[in-house]
């Protein structure tokens, strides 16, 4: 394993034939097994037999995160529960998570895709791979874990958290590759430096993703640790990590496009844009059984090229991400929507729903401050209770977002009201 030449280097004609065959099967499968898709296709007047090949994909309607939320938790599952062997979830736009389910076949395809990605980073069965993404409902930990095992590497399932323990084990076990978020890896490089352990590590590659990062961050990581750092992309709705990754030439991320059919659309008109032009990435899962999605709008902004790469792979490549077409933030690797803060604040009677999120990076770790306006009556009457109120809000926010935030209480009518669309976020990290 795992240069899967048959899948990664097929000719355009072979690829189109395979994608067409898979799309036709998929449309029939979702029509027969998912009420949501059957109704939606009926609404659009589309029959499965209208889809004859990949060229017909734009006849099909888009799927969005709201569709997953509206059918929470299992409404879009196509396979019976007895065939689902794993669940993952990520943040929804408000309180509810978006839940995804995998059959054993899906888990196998996922491991294969992550293995392809790790192979692009040079990982082989002789490597020791430290996985420092979170394990649990988040797809990062288990996704990277199964991919590295598929290659046959020795996996160290560290998860995130205790940086000193992690760096000590990195040295003691002689880890040669690490999978974690890029900001966490920069942080680890500082811990290694401070502990005087930089010259004791055996790392040669990193597989970093789950959050936006820049070329500058990549060079910094590569120089500090003397390794090659690779950009791995994915999202739980489509699978998790392993949807795409960059090879040794770093000229875009190779998509596993025999499994995930990519389109780039204009986020406003929803019409396709030309190759090379910036737009929103849309995926159709060509082979998924658990929760197959048709034309899922990722909201991630990028461009695509279908030219063969110097490495020999013919898979379509996407450029480093340039932003999102919605307001989702990724803070300490966790997806956060401002609407979740709003929904949480409604529970606290002493404050108004006016808030401002200030995101920054301190020592390569993300910080979040939320400024919240105290309600007029409460502010004047019970001003001494403010510290306890801060704690109370911090708890509500932690519960809703899954990350901690520093709460700053401000007086009534302090936060600027905007005339147009409300601005709730100041992001000083400059990640795109
Ligand atoms: O972040 C899956 C993942 C885990 C990818 C580990 C890579 C490594 P979600 O929590 O569903 O899944 O978040 C998906 O994260 O739509 C992007 O906005 C962002 N994202 C993921 N990878 C990258 C990347 C995982 N390499 C959302 N560059 C996506 C920029 C990324 N953004």
């Amino acid at each position: 394993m795992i240069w899967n030449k048959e899948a990664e280097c097929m000719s355009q004609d072979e690829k189109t034939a395979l994608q067409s065959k898979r799309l036709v099967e998929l449309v029939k499968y979702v029509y027969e097994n998912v009420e949501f898709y059957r109704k939606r296709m009926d609404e659009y007047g589309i029959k499965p037999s209208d889809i004859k090949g990949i060229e017909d994909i734009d006849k099909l309607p888009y799927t969005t995160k709201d569709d997953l939320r509206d059918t929470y938790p299992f409404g879009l599952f196509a396979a019976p529960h007895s065939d689902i062997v794993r669940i993952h979830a990520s943040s929804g736009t408000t309180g509810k998570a978006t839940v995804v389910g995998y059959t054993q076949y899906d888990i196998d395809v996922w491991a294969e895709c992550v293995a392809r990605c790790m192979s692009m980073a040079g990982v082989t069965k002789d490597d020791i791979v430290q996985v420092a993404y979170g394990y649990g409902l988040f797809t990062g930990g288990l996704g990277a874990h199964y991919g590295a095992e598929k290659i046959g590497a020795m996996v160290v399932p560290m998860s995130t958290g205790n940086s000193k323990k992690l760096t000590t084990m990195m040295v003691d076990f002689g880890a040669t590759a690490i999978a974690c978020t890029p900001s966490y890896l920069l942080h680890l490089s500082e811990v290694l430096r401070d502990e005087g352990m930089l010259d004791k590590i055996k790392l040669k590659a990193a597989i970093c993703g789950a959050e936006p990062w820049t070329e500058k961050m990549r060079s910094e990581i590569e120089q500090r640790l003397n390794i090659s750092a690779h950009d791995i992309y994915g999202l739980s709705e489509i699978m998790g990590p392993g949807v795409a990754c960059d090879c040794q030439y770093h000229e875009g991320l190779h998509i596993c496009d025999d499994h995930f059919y990519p389109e780039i659309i204009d986020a406003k008109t929803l019409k396709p844009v030309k190759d090379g032009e910036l737009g929103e990435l849309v995926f159709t899962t060509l082979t998924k059984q658990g929760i197959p999605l048709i034309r899922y709008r990722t909201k991630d902004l990028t461009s695509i090229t279908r030219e063969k790469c110097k490495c020999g792979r013919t898979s379509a490549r996407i450029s480093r991400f340039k932003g999102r077409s919605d307001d989702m933030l990724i803070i300490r690797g966790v997806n956060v929507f401002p609407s979740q803060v709003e929904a949480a604040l409604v529970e606290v009677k002493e404050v108004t729903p006016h808030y401002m999120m200030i995101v920054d990076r301190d020592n390569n770790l993300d910080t979040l401050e939320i400024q919240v306006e105290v309600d007029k009556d409460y502010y004047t009457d019970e001003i001494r209770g403010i510290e306890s109120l801060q704690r109370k809000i911090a708890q509500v926010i932690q519960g809703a977002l899954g990350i901690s935030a520093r709460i700053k209480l401000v007086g009534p009518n302090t936060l600027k009201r905007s005339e147009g669309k409300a601005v709730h976020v100041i992001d000083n990290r400059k990640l795109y």
Side-chain angles (χ1 to χ4, degrees):
M1 266 293 194
I2 223 177
W3 233 112
N4 187 342
K5 293 219 159 101
E6 207 184 302
E8 295 177 88
C9 304
M10 66 180 91
S11 72
Q12 270 313 326
D13 287 350
E14 282 169 332
K15 172 103 42 84
T16 306
L18 180 68
Q19 290 170 332
S20 291
K21 177 175 169 284
R22 289 183 166 173
L23 180 70
V24 170
E25 285 166 6
L26 168 79
V27 171
K28 191 165 172 286
Y29 177 63
V30 297
Y31 192 84
E32 283 168 7
N33 293 288
V34 187
E35 192 191 357
F36 167 88
Y37 277 121
R38 187 164 51 248
K39 280 194 180 150
R40 192 159 277 186
M41 283 172 61
D42 287 348
E43 249 171 60
Y44 278 70
I46 304 159
K47 295 187 296 301
S49 57
D50 295 335
I51 307 301
K52 300 201 165 52
I54 206 76
E55 66 284 359
D56 291 324
I57 197 160
D58 58 1
K59 292 183 181 154
L60 294 162
Y62 293 108
T63 309
T64 63
K65 207 175 182 75
D66 280 346
D67 295 327
L68 276 119
R69 195 192 61 190
D70 295 345
T71 53
Y72 174 87
F74 303 141
L76 290 186
F77 284 19
H81 288 193
S82 55
D83 287 349
I84 300 288
V85 299
R86 173 103 64 82
I87 293 288
H88 281 285
S90 75
S91 308
T93 43
T94 54
K96 281 187 179 153
T98 52
V99 184
V100 288
Y102 303 74
T103 64
Q104 186 56 53
Y105 172 81
D106 295 333
I107 296 281
D108 294 344
V109 169
W110 187 10
E112 150 81 20
C113 292
V114 175
R116 285 188 205 171
C117 293
M118 289 196 171
S119 302
M120 289 185 216
V123 174
T124 69
K125 67 183 291 301
D126 298 325
D127 279 298
I128 301 175
V129 181
Q130 200 164 17
V131 177
Y133 289 116
Y135 280 66
L137 285 175
F138 176 56
T139 52
L142 285 167
H145 185 114
Y146 276 59
E149 271 190 3
K150 170 98 185 174
I151 292 178
M154 185 199 292
V155 185
V156 187
M158 286 296 305
S159 199
T160 43
N162 190 335
S163 307
K164 280 209 179 138
K165 192 168 163 196
L166 204 151
T167 46
T168 304
M169 288 193 170
M170 184 190 286
V171 171
D172 293 350
F173 297 172
T176 51
I178 184 159
C180 64
T181 61
S183 57
Y184 192 52
L185 189 51
L186 271 178
H187 173 71
L188 290 178
S189 73
E190 269 154 21
V191 177
L192 284 163
R193 186 197 55 203
D194 296 348
E195 300 288 314
M197 299 198 295
L198 263 181
D199 58 351
K200 297 196 179 72
I201 57 169
K202 300 235 166 52
L203 278 189
K204 53 177 198 179
I207 301 98
C208 295
E211 63 182 13
W213 53 313
T214 55
E215 275 304 317
K216 193 164 160 269
M217 276 177 79
R218 188 215 292 280
S219 342
E220 215 168 317
I221 289 173
E222 292 190 332
Q223 275 165 23
R224 282 191 196 181
L225 296 170
N226 194 21
I227 59 169
S228 115
H230 295 257
D231 190 2
I232 187 166
Y233 168 77
L235 60 165
S236 55
E237 293 88 332
I238 296 305
M239 182 178 74
V243 173
C245 189
D246 61 355
C247 66
Q248 70 270 35
Y249 294 103
H250 304 297
E251 290 180 0
L253 287 73
H254 290 273
I255 299 171
C256 294
D257 56 4
D258 48 333
H259 294 291
F260 312 108
Y261 183 76
E263 296 173 86
I264 308 279
I265 61 165
D266 180 315
K268 292 213 174 77
T269 64
L270 305 187
K271 296 266 179 281
V273 302
K274 292 203 191 84
D275 285 5
E277 282 177 16
L278 189 67
E280 184 184 316
L281 181 60
V282 169
F283 278 116
T284 298
T285 63
L286 295 173
T287 54
K288 257 173 88 176
Q289 297 179 337
I291 175 167
L293 295 180
I294 289 185
R295 304 189 87 199
Y296 181 74
R297 294 187 56 189
T298 66
K299 307 279 172 141
D300 291 313
L301 301 177
T302 181
S303 58
I304 199 164
T305 172
R306 289 166 220 272
E307 278 167 27
K308 184 173 171 182
C309 178
K310 283 182 208 142
C311 70
R313 291 178 181 86
T314 54
S315 36
R317 279 171 289 151
I318 40 175
S319 62
R320 191 178 273 286
F321 290 94
K322 302 286 185 305
R324 288 189 50 94
S325 62
D326 67 1
D327 54 2
M328 187 180 94
L329 298 156
I330 302 181
I331 304 174
R332 275 171 252 148
V334 177
N335 300 353
V336 172
F337 290 92
S339 49
Q340 290 173 285
V341 173
E342 198 160 319
L345 290 180
V346 170
E347 287 177 34
V348 185
K349 67 175 186 320
E350 297 92 339
V351 299
T352 69
H354 294 291
Y355 65 96
M356 180 65 86
M357 301 167 70
I358 297 163
V359 194
D360 226 315
R361 205 157 252 185
D362 181 20
N363 227 352
N364 293 304
L365 294 179
D366 293 336
T367 59
L368 169 63
E369 174 182 292
I370 307 181
Q371 301 181 346
V372 186
E373 266 188 26
V374 180
D375 186 81
K376 193 156 61 47
D377 299 341
Y378 182 79
Y379 195 71
T380 45
D381 290 341
E382 298 198 49
I383 205 156
R384 281 199 208 97
I386 268 181
E387 250 187 42
S388 60
L389 179 57
Q390 257 170 341
R391 271 199 304 277
K392 177 171 160 186
I393 300 171
Q395 268 170 12
V396 173
I397 292 289
Q398 167 91 48
L401 269 51
I403 53 166
S404 59
R406 203 167 75 84
I407 305 298
K408 186 171 171 193
L409 296 173
V410 298
N413 290 315
T414 314
L415 296 176
K416 199 164 166 255
R417 308 290 193 260
S418 63
E419 283 168 12
K421 200 169 145 55
V423 178
H424 286 303
V425 178
I426 298 173
D427 192 340
N428 294 320
R429 297 173 299 174
K430 312 262 176 301
L431 294 176
Y432 290 110

